[in-house]
Amino acid sequence: MFAMPRRRTSATLLPFLLVTSGCSSHRHGPHDDEPPVYLEEEPNDWAGQPDFIDRVHSRSRLFVEGHVHEVGLDVYDGFLFQALEPCTIEFALAAHSYGADLDLAVYDPTLDEFVLFFETPNNPETGAFVVLDAGQEFHMVVRSFAGS
């Protein structure tokens, strides 16, 4: 159901911007020509308890804002998406705290397991993966390796 892309194609772009904002439960839309911004809603602290963000296709572009901690009760944040068509998902996960390192895993609820991990010291953490089936749900789970 998921695969690492072998070459870049015209792809879905999902920039994940994690900032130190408060948690909220709604989408706020910028101007019509700008991508929508979704705010994290708690609880979403593990893969089985994600926020539903949106259905995506090959032309989707959106932002998600939230906050995670290196220690404590909020070390993971899960976000649920559904692919409306086979597509490549590209993401950029940016920490806005100096020295913070965020990592991302992709969870397949059909298999009930994590299928991909993106764990580098880079900020932003970037990557891409392919969703092979229309209708496939996937969770993008953010973890703070260091910092908030």
Side-chain angles (χ1 to χ4, degrees):
M1 304 229 230
F2 296 94
M4 294 296 288
R6 292 191 179 188
R7 72 177 114 109
R8 296 230 174 199
T9 61
S10 172
T12 300
L13 179 63
L14 295 178
F16 259 64
L17 296 180
L18 285 159
V19 298
T20 56
S21 66
C23 299
S24 181
S25 63
H26 67 282
R27 167 186 173 178
H28 62 88
H31 303 289
D32 289 338
D33 60 339
E34 295 179 9
V37 178
Y38 295 84
L39 301 179
E40 163 191 27
E41 181 178 333
E42 295 289 350
N44 66 336
D45 298 326
W46 61 291
Q49 188 182 38
D51 286 348
F52 175 77
I53 299 299
D54 208 348
R55 291 169 180 85
V56 294
H57 50 75
S58 60
R59 296 162 311 284
S60 295
R61 186 166 187 249
L62 57 94
F63 293 91
V64 177
E65 295 181 358
H67 188 255
V68 295
H69 303 276
E70 179 182 357
V71 295
L73 300 174
D74 192 24
V75 294
Y76 298 99
D77 282 336
F79 303 97
L80 167 65
F81 299 87
Q82 182 182 31
L84 295 174
E85 64 185 6
C87 55
T88 299
I89 306 297
E90 295 181 64
F91 68 90
L93 175 64
H96 291 272
S97 297
Y98 178 77
D101 177 17
L102 302 176
D103 295 324
L104 186 122
V106 178
Y107 175 80
D108 181 337
T110 304
L111 297 174
D112 190 25
E113 65 183 52
F114 287 95
V115 293
L116 297 169
F117 296 89
F118 299 89
E119 299 172 322
T120 71
N122 299 336
N123 184 23
E125 185 78 50
T126 60
F129 59 93
V130 175
V131 180
L132 299 173
D133 300 318
Q136 174 68 45
E137 290 186 353
F138 59 94
H139 303 187
M140 298 178 80
V141 179
V142 177
R143 175 179 174 258
S144 176
F145 179 77
S148 294

